[in-house]
Amino acid sequence: MTLTDALSALRGVLSPQATAGPLWVKLPGMVAQGIPAKVAKRSFPLGLEWYAGSASGAVQFRCPDPAWQSPPRILQLAASGASASGMTFPLFQAVPTVLDFGVTDLSSGAVTLTNAGNTPAFPYVVVTGPVSGFSIVIDGNTVTYTDTEPAGQTLTIDYRTGYATLTGGVDRTTRLSSRQFSAVTSTSSVLFSAAAGVAAITIADLWR
């Protein structure tokens, strides 16, 4: 690759952007930290250094939501445990005048999510099928998906935006029967309840 090709590729990557993405910064003696940012301006002028086989430039980033985050941590949860079915006693406890038959063939995995920052952090959940419906419960707040997810497909739930998308960007937000999206402030318990499938939950420390 020539210097001209490399500079052209760099200009393309750092072209002005409409939406923010993660910008990672590593300073001496510190761990890497990320911040949502988008390129506002960039300049790579041709100078005398060009003839020496080098080039310099300047890039200006805009941070619409200036919150620093740590490198994300991914926790894997596999559905496991004994099946359960039948009525839940005492009767009518969940919803008055409505019989609660419980949930058939559900199994659960649980972990603890932590956020060492000073700002609530929203998790990012990716569930891999096959699975016929599932629930994610964080500190008692439930997000439930009611549709069938085929084998090899993934469903992504963004707790910050409240959107659910299937592989290929297919919107499945309307298939969420419960949408109690909660953030992690310090330490939170999370429960993955499903008959099968694997849930990968991403969380990061967040500071403002």
Side-chain angles (χ1 to χ4, degrees):
M1 176 182 288
T2 66
L3 179 59
T4 301
D5 294 335
L7 191 56
S8 177
L10 185 61
R11 283 173 172 158
V13 171
L14 294 175
S15 59
Q17 302 162 329
T19 58
L23 172 65
W24 291 95
V25 179
K26 178 69 170 69
L27 299 176
M30 297 179 61
V31 298
Q33 290 185 312
I35 189 171
K38 58 183 179 180
V39 177
K41 298 179 182 178
R42 54 104 164 92
S43 175
F44 295 95
L46 298 180
L48 293 177
E49 58 190 0
W50 177 268
Y51 299 99
S54 64
S56 61
V59 181
Q60 182 183 86
F61 291 95
R62 182 175 182 271
C63 303
D65 182 19
W68 289 97
Q69 73 167 63
S70 69
R73 302 178 297 278
I74 301 177
L75 305 174
Q76 296 279 351
L77 277 175
S80 61
S83 299
S85 62
M87 286 188 173
T88 299
F89 292 88
L91 299 177
F92 311 109
Q93 180 174 345
V95 181
T97 74
V98 177
L99 282 173
D100 186 354
F101 283 86
V103 184
T104 303
D105 292 331
L106 289 185
S107 50
S108 305
V111 295
T112 298
L113 300 177
T114 59
N115 173 16
N118 62 5
T119 300
F122 287 90
Y124 191 83
V125 179
V126 177
V127 177
T128 303
V131 58
S132 182
F134 62 84
S135 291
I136 303 290
V137 185
I138 298 179
D139 290 340
N141 299 305
T142 303
V143 174
T144 300
Y145 183 69
T146 58
D147 206 356
T148 297
E149 185 182 338
Q153 297 282 303
T154 60
L155 183 83
T156 301
I157 303 177
D158 188 335
Y159 270 57
R160 176 178 293 277
T161 64
Y163 287 118
T165 54
L166 200 61
T167 302
V170 181
D171 191 356
R172 284 291 185 268
T173 306
T174 58
R175 308 300 173 89
L176 298 176
S177 62
S178 179
R179 308 180 189 183
Q180 299 176 342
F181 301 107
S182 60
V184 178
T185 55
S186 56
T187 301
S188 296
S189 63
V190 56
L191 180 74
F192 173 51
S193 183
V198 176
I201 302 176
T202 301
I203 191 71
D205 306 327
L206 200 63
W207 294 269
R208 289 190 190 278

